[in-house]
Amino acid sequence: GASRPGAEIQVHLDGVGLSVGVWTQPLMDVLSVDVIERIEVFKGAQPVLFGNMTACAVNIITKTQKEDGFSTRIQGAGGSFNTLIERIEHGGKIKNTDYYLLQSFKQSSGHRENAGGELQNYFGHIGHQLSDKWKITLTANSTHNAADDPGPENRPQERQGTFKTEDHLGIVNLTHAYDIVKGSWKVYWNNGEAKWKDQYDLAGLFHYDTFTKFNNYGIRAREVFQPWAGGTFTAGADLDFTSGTVTINRELSRPDSSFSRDTFRILSPYLSLGHEFNLIKQWILIPSAGVRYYDHSDFDTRWAPQAGLVLRDSLTDIHLFYGRGINYPGLYVVAQSNMFWGNNARWKYLDPETVDHLEAGIGRFFGRKVRADLTW
């Protein structure tokens, strides 16, 4: 990215985007690996399923208890530089109700002075099967983290202080599964703050603090229909809000020290259609196409098409793909304009980053354990 890198890669937790709201950064600080059951990676522009992104989408699927009964795991480790790792997790499933709880802690003083860090994570999930078709789940995740910068070697006075983050995420998900239609309706809320303390200004030779508070919330709805044998029709819409404030504490008070709350809103409905054609022998042909429409509260509307063609059998698959990625500027363009550039409004004339992704490839299995891929 030309300005604030990060938003080109969209990171989700159970289908909900995670980022520090003002700066649109999917920080690794708030993405605990301890809650992960598996990770889905979607390379390239994926406008239909993931919306506001251009390069890649990563979806973290969190842990749940799938089998009846109970499970408990306790892990501990220690090492040099005062390194300590601890994790406790427990899950259970009783008839139509399942739950999963996890707490983890990691710390280290680092291999240099002022190079330490600490990670805390608290996770909870509970689900209840309302009927044989409907289920409701509640997922909550909270992280508290800190990282110290030791600065350049032999110049400790230039260290960039300590970066602390807090992140709290809640997701309520109502799902249903019938013979010809499956759907998911999610409501989410993501609140947190980032505190960068004792930053060093190389030009002014003074220290300052930057405090960011963010609040992201919205609705994600998706319905997948199978109206005929081999056919799949997907329709949905995302309604996302992101807001936040920024405060900069300096030794001398200046007018560019605070950004009062503002909010961006993106409404983006989408649909796609695909079909599997059975050809001779075991060959299958799968064409698909879709489109997403973006309606932004402050920027111009956009359309993002996507189409693909797959030809495969049990050993070989050939694919051709096109997708247009749309990545709107984050709330930082307003914050930086207000604080650093005389409160001007030229950010309103910005266009979203647009990437046209065209891909063709072939892959083949040689036995059960070897696969070769060639992709352009």
Side-chain angles (χ1 to χ4, degrees):
S3 181
R4 295 216 57 92
E8 312 85 358
I9 298 176
Q10 191 175 117
V11 178
H12 285 239
L13 192 144
D14 289 337
V16 170
L18 277 183
S19 68
V20 176
V22 176
W23 308 108
T24 69
Q25 294 170 309
L27 296 178
M28 291 298 295
D29 307 52
V30 302
L31 298 171
S32 171
V33 299
D34 294 323
V35 304
I36 297 175
E37 178 180 282
R38 68 182 191 275
I39 301 176
E40 300 173 332
V41 179
F42 300 81
K43 68 174 181 176
Q46 300 282 341
V48 171
L49 292 182
F50 292 98
N52 193 36
M53 52 81 75
T54 57
C56 176
V58 179
N59 186 28
I60 294 172
I61 308 297
T62 59
K63 295 177 179 178
T64 58
Q65 180 78 15
K66 296 180 175 59
E67 304 295 332
D68 290 338
F70 304 93
S71 63
T72 302
R73 176 181 296 176
I74 300 175
Q75 180 187 25
S80 55
F81 306 110
N82 299 312
T83 301
L84 175 65
I85 297 175
E86 167 267 324
R87 185 174 78 208
I88 300 174
E89 51 190 306
H90 170 74
K93 187 173 187 299
I94 308 170
K95 295 182 179 180
N96 294 330
T97 302
D98 65 273
Y99 67 89
Y100 208 93
L101 305 173
L102 183 145
Q103 175 272 325
S104 64
F105 176 84
K106 304 175 184 179
Q107 74 167 21
S108 178
S109 61
H111 68 296
R112 294 172 55 194
E113 187 177 358
N114 297 316
E118 180 179 295
L119 302 172
Q120 299 181 45
N121 188 212
Y122 307 90
F123 170 81
H125 168 92
I126 185 170
H128 182 70
Q129 196 76 38
L130 301 172
S131 68
D132 60 338
K133 307 294 186 183
W134 291 83
K135 183 177 182 178
I136 187 169
T137 62
L138 171 63
T139 302
N141 191 64
S142 179
T143 63
H144 301 257
N145 312 294
D148 293 323
D149 174 33
E153 289 189 358
N154 303 319
R155 300 201 305 274
Q157 71 277 9
E158 297 179 17
R159 63 182 297 264
Q160 289 295 332
T162 301
F163 190 73
K164 296 183 177 181
T165 59
E166 290 187 17
D167 184 86
H168 313 284
L169 173 67
I171 306 172
V172 178
N173 188 18
L174 181 64
T175 61
H176 62 84
Y178 290 86
D179 292 337
I180 64 171
V181 59
K182 298 179 181 179
S184 170
W185 294 69
K186 298 176 182 177
V187 178
Y188 73 91
W189 173 75
N190 182 210
N191 173 270
E193 58 183 348
K195 298 180 179 180
W196 195 350
K197 305 190 68 175
D198 295 324
Q199 290 176 262
Y200 185 68
D201 188 301
L202 291 173
L205 304 181
F206 61 88
H207 291 83
Y208 63 99
D209 304 328
T210 302
F211 298 146
T212 302
K213 294 183 178 181
F214 60 92
N215 191 26
N216 307 326
Y217 52 94
I219 301 173
R220 301 284 176 97
R222 179 179 298 173
E223 296 289 337
V224 180
F225 302 89
Q226 293 182 309
W228 61 83
T232 302
F233 175 72
T234 302
D238 299 338
L239 177 60
D240 300 302
F241 296 86
T242 180
S243 64
T245 65
V246 180
T247 303
I248 300 178
N249 295 331
R250 296 182 174 90
E251 295 176 357
L252 298 177
S253 178
R254 288 167 43 171
D256 58 354
S257 295
S258 65
F259 166 65
S260 58
R261 183 173 299 277
D262 202 344
T263 303
F264 278 175
R265 184 269 303 152
I266 303 178
L267 173 63
S268 53
Y270 58 91
L271 55 86
S272 68
L273 179 64
H275 182 79
E276 288 192 8
F277 293 95
N278 294 312
L279 305 180
I280 59 174
K281 297 183 178 180
Q282 295 181 328
W283 286 94
I284 299 175
L285 180 67
I286 310 172
S288 62
V291 65
R292 182 184 284 258
Y293 172 76
Y294 300 84
D295 178 64
H296 198 287
S297 59
D298 292 80
F299 298 106
D300 293 339
T301 60
R302 287 289 191 273
W303 291 88
Q306 180 175 326
L309 185 66
V310 176
L311 177 65
R312 72 183 185 204
D313 68 358
S314 59
L315 296 177
T316 306
D317 63 80
I318 304 168
H319 75 273
L320 180 66
F321 169 81
Y322 167 76
R324 168 167 291 182
I326 300 293
N327 180 31
Y328 279 97
L331 199 58
Y332 60 83
V333 298
V334 189
Q336 292 179 327
S337 295
N338 288 6
M339 292 192 296
F340 309 139
W341 301 324
N343 203 30
N344 73 66
R346 283 183 289 174
W347 60 267
K348 295 183 179 180
Y349 301 105
L350 290 171
D351 288 326
E353 178 187 18
T354 301
V355 172
D356 288 303
H357 182 106
L358 180 64
E359 180 177 314
I362 182 172
R364 181 173 176 81
F365 279 101
F366 296 91
R368 298 179 59 183
K369 297 184 179 181
V370 178
R371 176 183 169 94
D373 288 276
L374 178 63
T375 303
W376 174 83

